[in-house]
């Protein structure tokens, strides 16, 4: 039925009601009467026998209810009935009564203050998942089924403070916001981080670059002979993948060079390393080289970096190094700083180095430079080397049926991705240096059927839209109110491109049904990922200052996913005092407005009917809201 006809959602989990029905179904049936002429069931007094049968039935029922109660009390948090709202229902319904909205959402237990639902290893045990630890499957995404999703607001830790603003945040964060100081002691000799009272400082060190990432980066540029000792190579190196990034100091010190790194690390023994990176305002995300492809299209990065990243590159016929090869552009670099590259007095390191050098050679990588503790390989520009290999050489070439850009829940393949005829002919990616590539039509536009004219028009429209957004927020925001920004339905990256002159970075999220658009975003010198918004995003709570959602709620209807679920997920990843810009159909906006007090997004809001443009879809509205910094005192937990 339409949402308007529904009563407010009860707080009783749907799974619990189902369990009560199951318990009722488990009640013993009344015993059949004894056959005529018989003396009952055992030959004793009929009254006593009936009393015993009733007592036995009652005991069975009590035991069933007791199991149900303890299962609900001590099992994982279950979910109450979800209010599903489809865009088609919204359009058809009458205006919502003023009082109809969820009266409240409970606050999750404090132990969930850092919950990442699809990377929750506690869930693995509850669901009894059989994961291969040697393949890092336990660090990959495993999302909870609907009955086990939390339907509550994630609280902040005790003493939480509004984050320190960029650029100061690069070097210091509040200890209370991420109360995990074990990394400071564990990595004290490597200068990852230092605890100073109520703050944690980041001196810029790393496992391999104790004396600072800035000096290490200069050395890499010198090894490659780049002009002015700058790793950006006059704008030709823009997108970098840093695997096993720690607290992302390498990525932090690339930013002044106009290089943006996707700093990647799992939620492993160095727990919270990505949380620190995001709190600092450095582009980063949770992820692992395990069994599935990274959620990026082919030919996305000019440089990949591994500094003592503790990855076994030789396992499974080199499948992990082949995944790096897939996402590297023609002529891209792989920087490898590790004992295997230099500590050849150790027989184990010497053996690994020999095998890895052999693998790289068979992949047609050649050494561009080797100095001290670092080796830099370079990927070929054309298919020439691949064609000259022996017919049965390993690793093999990927088949013609393999789509190198398919990257959402796709298993890795131990094969080499060849270049297209066009790339092979022009000997490269044809991309302009940064920042010209940001607004120039990328060569791969034709692969997704978009003309250069439409691309240019898209840029102009988003410049106008973003100017209007900032005008609406002008009285409320300051220069550094935003640092970490997410465009939840990024299309071609126009929203992010319009923010270039602001000191922010944008995670461009492309829905998995339109994953081909992500390669356009990377070709523009931006970063992003593929995602399915029916699931939770791979990031910590409280990591983004601004969320932008354009027609995202309306597009969810085809997947049968709930509006309420998406709002709760947005609340999880948005910082207190953070903003959400929601541009959608008027009926959707009207419904969301009813939920603002429930979500505690009522600190400030603004609504406007925007000017129609070529991207408008029907009767759109723009709603901008700010999330409250609410008291996380104990409340009804879930």
């Amino acid at each position: 039925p339409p949402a308007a006809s529904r009563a407010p959602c009860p707080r009783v989990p749907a799974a619990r009601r189902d369990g009560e029905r199951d318990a009722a179904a488990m009640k013993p049936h009344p015993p059949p009467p004894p056959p005529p002429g018989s003396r009952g069931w055992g030959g004793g007094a009929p009254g006593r026998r009936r009393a015993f049968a009733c007592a036995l039935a009652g005991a069975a029922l009590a035991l069933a209810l007791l199991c149900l109660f303890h299962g609900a009390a001590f099992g994982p948090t279950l979910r109450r009935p979800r209010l599903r709202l489809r865009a088609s229902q919204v359009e058809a319904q009458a205006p919502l009564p003023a009082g109809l909205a969820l009266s409240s959402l409970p606050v999750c237990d404090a132990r969930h203050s850092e919950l990442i639902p699809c990377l929750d290893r506690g869930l693995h045990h509850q669901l009894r998942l059989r994961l291969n630890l040697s393949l890092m499957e336990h660090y990959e995404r495993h999302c909870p089924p609907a009955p086990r999703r939390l339907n509550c607001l994630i609280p902040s830790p005790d003493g939480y403070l509004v984050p320190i603003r960029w650029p100061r945040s690069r070097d210091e964060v509040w200890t209370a916001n991420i109360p995990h100081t074990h990394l400071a002691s564990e990595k004290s000799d490597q200068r990852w981080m230092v605890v100073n009272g109520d703050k944690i400082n980041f001196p810029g060190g790393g496992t391999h670059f104790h004396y600072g990432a800035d000096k290490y980066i200069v050395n890499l540029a010198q090894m490659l002979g780049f002009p002015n000792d700058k790793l950006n190579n006059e704008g030709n190196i823009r997108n970098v993948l840093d695997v096993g990034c720690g607290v992302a100091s390498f990525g932090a010190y690339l930013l002044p060079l106009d290089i943006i790194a996707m700093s990647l690390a799992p939620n492993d023994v160095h727990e919270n390393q990505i949380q620190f990176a995001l709190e600092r305002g450095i582009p980063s995300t949770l992820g692992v080289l395990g069994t599935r492809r990274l959620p990026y299209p082919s030919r996305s990065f000019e440089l990949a970096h591994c500094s003592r990243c503790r990855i076994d590159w030789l396992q499974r016929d080199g499948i992990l190094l082949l995944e790096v090869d897939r996402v590297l552009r023609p002529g891209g670099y792989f920087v490898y700083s590790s004992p295997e590259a230099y500590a050849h007095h150790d027989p184990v390191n010497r053996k690994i180095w020999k095998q890895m050098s052999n693998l790289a050679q068979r992949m047609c990588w050649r050494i561009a430079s080797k100095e001290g503790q670092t080796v830099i390989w370079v990927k070929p520009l054309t298919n020439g080397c691949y064609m000259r290999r022996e017919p049965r050489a390993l690793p093999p070439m990927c088949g013609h049926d393999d789509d190198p850009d398919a990257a959402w829940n796709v298993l890795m393949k131990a094969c080499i991705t060849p270049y297209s005829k066009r790339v092979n002919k022009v000997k490269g990616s044809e991309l302009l240096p940064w920042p010209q590539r940001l607004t120039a039509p990328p060569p791969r536009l034709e692969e997704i059927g978009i003309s250069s004219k439409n691309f240019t028009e898209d840029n102009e429209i988003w410049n106008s839209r973003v100017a209007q957004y900032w005008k609406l927020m002008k009285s409320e925001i300051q220069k550094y109110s935003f640092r970490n920004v997410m465009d939840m339905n990024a299309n071609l990256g126009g929203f992010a491109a319009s923010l270039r002159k602001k000191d922010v970075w944008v995670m461009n999220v492309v829905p998995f049904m339109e994953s081909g658009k992500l390669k356009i975003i990377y070709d523009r010198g931006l970063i992003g990922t593929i995602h399915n918004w029916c699931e939770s995003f791979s990031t910590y709570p409280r990591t983004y200052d601004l969320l932008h959602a354009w027609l995202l709620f309306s597009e969810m209807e085809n997947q049968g996913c709930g509006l309420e679920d998406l709002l709760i997920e947005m609340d999880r990843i948005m910082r207190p005092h953070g903003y959400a810009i929601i541009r959608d159909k008027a009926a959707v906006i009207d419904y969301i407005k009813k939920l603002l007090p429930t979500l505690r997004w009522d600190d400030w809001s603004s609504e406007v009917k925007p000017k129609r443009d070529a991207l408008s879809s029907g009767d759109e509205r723009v709603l901008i809201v700010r999330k409250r910094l609410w008291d996380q005192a104990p409340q009804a937990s879930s």
Side-chain angles (χ1 to χ4, degrees):
S5 65
R6 301 183 184 184
C9 291
R11 296 191 181 183
V12 181
R16 187 176 300 177
R17 294 206 319 272
D18 292 342
E20 289 169 358
R21 288 195 292 269
D22 294 342
M26 292 168 60
K27 290 182 180 180
H29 295 288
S38 73
R39 298 177 58 185
W41 302 113
R48 289 198 302 272
R49 289 195 295 271
R50 284 195 297 272
F52 176 78
C54 291
L56 184 63
L61 176 60
L63 180 61
L65 292 175
L66 183 65
C67 291
L68 176 65
F69 171 78
H70 283 285
F74 299 106
T77 302
L78 299 181
R79 187 172 170 76
R80 62 190 174 95
R82 293 190 290 163
L83 182 58
R84 292 198 178 278
L85 185 68
R86 292 172 175 253
S88 57
Q89 293 175 326
V90 172
E91 292 174 358
Q93 71 185 26
L96 291 169
L100 180 58
L102 297 181
S103 58
S104 66
L105 276 171
V107 176
C108 301
D109 190 275
R111 70 180 184 275
H112 296 309
S113 67
E114 294 175 350
L115 178 71
I116 310 165
C118 293
L119 295 172
D120 179 12
R121 285 195 291 279
L123 182 71
H124 301 172
H125 300 291
Q126 295 167 9
L127 298 181
R128 298 181 180 180
L129 300 181
R130 305 183 72 174
L131 304 175
N132 191 325
L133 305 188
S134 67
L135 301 185
M136 302 295 176
E137 284 186 316
H138 55 308
Y139 294 139
E140 294 183 321
R141 289 173 57 84
H142 303 282
C143 298
R148 289 179 180 264
R149 295 179 190 167
L150 291 180
N151 196 24
C152 50
L153 302 179
I154 299 292
S156 303
D158 290 338
Y160 181 87
L161 300 168
V162 173
I164 295 171
R165 297 301 182 188
W166 182 266
R168 284 178 51 213
S169 63
R170 188 195 74 170
D171 302 323
E172 62 180 14
V173 302
W174 297 116
T175 305
N177 290 7
I178 310 178
H180 302 282
T181 58
H182 61 281
L183 268 181
S185 55
E186 181 183 343
K187 300 291 185 179
S188 59
D189 61 325
Q190 300 168 13
R191 302 176 72 244
W192 277 34
M193 48 192 279
V194 178
V195 180
N196 288 320
D198 62 352
K199 292 180 182 177
I200 296 174
N201 297 109
F202 300 88
T207 304
H208 186 74
F209 38 88
H210 302 178
Y211 298 104
D214 51 349
K215 298 179 180 63
Y216 172 70
I217 291 167
V218 169
N219 185 63
L220 295 180
Q222 292 171 342
M223 289 177 64
L224 291 168
F226 287 165
N228 304 313
D229 297 339
K230 293 187 180 297
L231 194 60
N232 62 13
N233 191 23
E234 299 183 327
N236 289 300
I237 288 187
R238 166 63 180 173
N239 293 1
V240 168
L241 176 67
D242 186 16
V243 294
C245 66
V247 293
S249 289
F250 180 72
Y253 284 87
L254 289 175
L255 291 170
L257 298 171
D258 270 341
I259 298 175
I260 187 165
M262 179 67 84
S263 297
L264 181 78
N267 186 17
D268 60 5
V269 292
H270 295 145
E271 193 174 1
N272 305 99
Q273 54 190 341
I274 290 296
Q275 190 177 18
F276 281 116
L278 288 164
E279 186 77 6
R280 297 173 69 186
I282 302 168
S284 48
T285 190
L286 286 161
V288 67
L289 283 163
T291 65
R292 305 174 198 165
R293 284 180 172 177
L294 297 174
Y296 317 123
S298 66
R299 311 196 321 258
S300 294
F301 302 95
E302 281 90 19
L303 185 147
H305 176 252
C306 160
S307 173
R308 297 201 186 186
C309 55
R310 303 196 308 171
I311 293 174
D312 178 7
W313 296 108
L314 298 173
Q315 63 173 283
R316 293 175 283 158
D317 301 318
I319 194 169
L320 304 184
L321 202 61
L322 288 161
E323 174 64 4
V324 171
D325 181 83
R326 182 185 70 86
V327 299
L328 274 179
R329 299 198 198 277
Y333 298 97
F334 178 60
V335 178
Y336 183 60
S337 298
S338 181
E340 293 85 4
Y342 66 89
H344 295 166
H345 60 277
D346 184 301
V348 175
N349 287 337
R350 188 165 60 247
K351 180 180 179 181
I352 293 173
W353 169 250
K354 183 177 180 180
Q355 292 175 335
M356 192 164 175
S357 297
N358 181 265
L359 172 62
Q361 186 176 15
R362 287 184 279 117
M363 291 169 55
C364 290
W365 287 9
R366 64 175 179 83
I367 293 179
S369 182
K370 187 175 186 294
E371 181 181 301
Q373 302 180 5
T374 301
V375 60
I376 304 176
W377 280 284
V378 61
K379 182 180 175 179
L381 285 168
T382 69
N383 290 330
C385 174
Y386 305 145
M387 302 301 293
R388 292 191 296 270
R389 298 192 324 152
E390 294 295 325
R392 297 181 181 273
L394 296 176
M397 303 302 294
C398 297
H400 295 294
D401 57 343
D402 176 62
D403 179 2
D405 296 328
W408 179 250
N409 284 336
V410 176
L411 292 177
M412 291 182 188
K413 298 182 179 181
C415 58
I416 300 172
T417 302
Y419 298 129
S420 65
K421 291 182 179 179
R422 174 170 178 166
V423 172
N424 185 60
K425 182 178 180 180
V426 300
K427 299 182 180 181
S429 58
E430 301 181 88
L431 297 178
L432 295 175
W434 176 266
Q436 292 95 317
R437 70 174 64 173
L438 180 65
T439 52
R444 290 197 276 186
L445 268 180
E446 63 181 27
E447 296 180 17
I448 61 172
I450 295 178
S451 68
S452 296
K453 180 181 177 181
N454 288 342
F455 175 82
T456 301
E457 185 180 14
D458 184 88
N459 282 337
E460 295 170 354
I461 289 171
W462 281 108
N463 283 334
S464 176
R465 287 184 172 191
V466 168
Q468 183 185 37
Y469 296 161
W470 255 251
K471 184 178 180 180
L472 291 171
M473 297 185 292
K474 184 178 180 180
S475 63
E476 300 297 321
I477 62 174
Q478 299 174 352
K479 182 178 180 180
Y480 293 112
S481 291
F482 306 134
R483 174 59 187 170
N484 301 352
V485 178
M486 177 185 284
D487 190 359
M488 302 175 70
N489 192 13
N491 196 37
L492 303 177
F495 174 79
S498 299
L499 297 177
R500 181 184 180 271
K501 294 185 178 179
K502 303 185 186 301
D503 211 350
V504 303
W505 70 273
V506 182
M507 178 66 81
N508 293 279
V509 182
V510 174
F512 72 100
M513 311 87 65
E514 302 177 341
S515 59
K517 293 180 177 179
L518 188 58
K519 59 190 169 189
I520 305 304
I521 289 170
Y522 273 94
D523 285 355
R524 302 183 71 172
L526 305 170
I527 62 171
T529 188
I530 303 168
H531 186 59
N532 177 3
W533 282 113
C534 291
E535 301 174 355
S536 179
F537 194 77
S538 294
T539 193
Y540 286 89
R542 304 172 299 279
T543 50
Y544 285 92
D545 303 298
L546 173 64
L547 303 178
H548 175 247
W550 170 49
L551 292 179
L552 180 61
F553 291 95
S554 293
E555 292 181 5
M556 295 285 281
E557 69 167 327
N558 292 331
Q559 301 176 61
C561 303
L563 176 150
E564 180 190 352
D565 295 312
L566 182 56
L567 289 169
I568 291 174
E569 173 63 4
M570 290 173 67
D571 180 79
R572 186 185 71 86
I573 67 180
M574 185 164 53
R575 287 173 168 170
H577 287 185
Y579 288 74
I581 302 174
I582 303 172
R583 187 184 189 113
D584 217 308
K585 296 176 182 178
V588 173
I589 296 297
D590 287 341
Y591 187 80
I592 292 174
K593 285 165 58 180
K594 306 292 184 184
L595 302 179
L596 296 183
T598 301
L599 292 163
R600 310 180 189 199
W601 291 5
D602 53 355
D603 194 42
W604 174 85
S605 66
S606 177
E607 182 186 3
V608 67
K609 181 177 181 179
K611 178 183 176 182
R612 285 187 60 85
D613 54 45
L615 296 178
S616 296
S617 175
D619 183 21
E620 289 185 8
R621 294 287 190 278
V622 174
L623 176 66
I624 305 178
V625 299
R626 182 169 64 208
K627 177 180 174 179
R628 272 194 275 143
L629 174 59
W630 42 270
D631 180 15
Q632 50 269 13
Q635 301 184 36
S637 62
S638 176

